[in-house]
Amino acid sequence: MMQRLLVVLCLFDVQEVAGWNSFILNDQGRRVLTRRGRGISKATTIEEDISIEKANKIFEWHRQWYPMAVTEFLDEKRPLPMQLMGKSLVAWKSEQQGWKIFDDACPHRLAPLSEGRVENDGTLLCAYHAWRFNADGTCVSMPQAKDLENFATCSVPSYPVREIDGLLWVFGDNSDEGRMMAALSEPKKRDEIDDPNAKRLHWNIRDLPYGYDFFLENVMDPAHVTVSHHNIVGNRYIK
């Protein structure tokens, strides 16, 4: 599936999982760590324990901020399909609340909302049965229904969104806990972006016919750079 990938210099705080398995008190009352599958033990102080526990923190891919698009290239008058780690999303702009990102599926028959319309009243309309959703994802209009009593059960899942430095960011987890984490965190961007003396170039976007996993494998392989990008970045014949 064709996915649009935005290449941005961002820093993610990815930390290696150390693999320590259990804590045991020794004769001196100090905790001993046992490593999984290796039978290695090590006496540690409380301060060392705290450091180790931080190092053991697993990087949660869906609980991060990701840059999805350059806002100046987006069409504010229509919904736009996007992909994030296998999720189909739709971005659209509410006149009252700015850019929003929903699941790209109407809760009625799962029709793509990206094939719908942004209406003059500031709602997102599904092109299948004309259900309308406000900026919070709540269904506010259902032509086939007589009243609005049960519309709250027909909401579209939305995601935390930020617009920073010309980029539209989305937090990958829209659960209650994920929203709390998003509210307490900021997108991890390079400090140079905020430097007023930094030279700013034009945005460059390419459509790549593969997923994020294949792309990450590519950019994390430095050995290919001088070969594949000969005379652009280095020279394949110079060792």
Side-chain angles (χ1 to χ4, degrees), residues 73-86:
F73 292 163
L74 299 181
D75 188 344
E76 300 179 358
K77 298 181 180 180
R78 66 183 185 89
L80 305 161
M82 295 182 172
Q83 288 273 336
L84 178 64
M85 292 184 290

Side-chain angles (χ1 to χ4, degrees), residues 70-211:
V70 179
T71 54
E72 66 180 89
F73 292 163
L74 299 181
D75 188 344
E76 300 179 358
K77 298 181 180 180
R78 66 183 185 89
L80 305 161
M82 295 182 172
Q83 288 273 336
L84 178 64
M85 292 184 290
K87 292 182 180 179
S88 294
L89 305 176
V90 57
W92 67 287
K93 189 168 186 180
S94 163
E95 290 187 1
Q96 294 77 24
Q97 299 188 36
W99 285 102
K100 298 294 177 180
I101 292 184
F102 294 170
D103 278 340
D104 192 12
C106 179
H108 180 207
R109 299 294 298 277
L110 303 182
L113 291 172
S114 57
E115 297 181 7
R117 297 168 50 90
V118 177
E119 295 292 282
N120 293 330
D121 63 356
T123 59
L124 178 62
L125 178 141
C126 176
Y128 199 6
H129 291 93
W131 288 21
R132 297 191 187 196
F133 305 91
N134 65 14
D136 298 324
T138 303
C139 183
V140 295
S141 176
M142 190 183 298
Q144 299 81 10
K146 295 181 179 180
D147 57 62
L148 301 177
E149 182 178 355
N150 296 318
F151 278 20
T153 61
C154 302
S155 299
V156 179
S158 62
Y159 292 79
V161 172
R162 300 275 181 88
E163 185 178 349
I164 301 176
D165 293 320
L167 294 174
L168 181 63
W169 299 74
V170 65
F171 197 81
D173 182 4
N174 63 347
S175 66
D176 291 341
E177 184 178 354
R179 290 180 182 279
M180 184 179 297
M181 295 177 67
L184 297 175
S185 63
E186 292 289 335
K188 292 180 173 64
K189 57 183 183 179
R190 296 190 66 89
D191 295 335
E192 291 87 343
I193 293 179
D194 295 325
D195 184 355
N197 298 317
K199 183 178 180 181
R200 296 179 180 271
L201 303 176
H202 297 291
W203 292 104
N204 183 24
I205 296 178
R206 295 178 61 189
D207 283 320
L208 303 175
Y210 41 77

